[in-house]
Amino acid sequence: MEIETSHLMMIFFILLFAVSFWKIYAFLPNKQLEDDDTTKEAQEELQHLMLKVIKKNGGNLESKKLFDLMISDEEFDKKKFWRFNENRLNRVLSLYFLQNPHLKNIEDIYEELK
């Protein structure tokens, strides 16, 4: 039984394809990082912290002041939320407003929390 060149090329192609696929798969992240702040739990934690800070400091807050108060709070995990910035706070606020369409601003959130 003679092996033709085309059969040999096909065998090497399949072998190299399998090795390439394995190498790519080996480098893809397959477990959650401990400082991943994009999970649902992290979003809920930020939302809880935001509501706590609003309730504690009143409704006369601008987003910049709310951001400063949140990062200075003792519950704020600086290692986990090291990427937290004002844009992220605005996304958390927007998500909260979408979940509660009757609320329009931080003052409304405060009035509801009282």
Side-chain angles (χ1 to χ4, degrees), residues 82-98:
W82 62 274
R83 292 178 288 241
F84 185 69
N85 57 22
E86 287 185 61
N87 290 332
R88 184 68 185 275
L89 173 62
N90 290 334
R91 285 194 346 222
V92 171
L93 274 169
S94 297
L95 180 64
Y96 190 76
F97 290 140
L98 285 174

Side-chain angles (χ1 to χ4, degrees), residues 20-30:
S20 300
F21 187 75
W22 174 78
K23 284 184 116 350
I24 290 172
Y25 177 76
F27 286 106
L28 291 176
N30 52 7

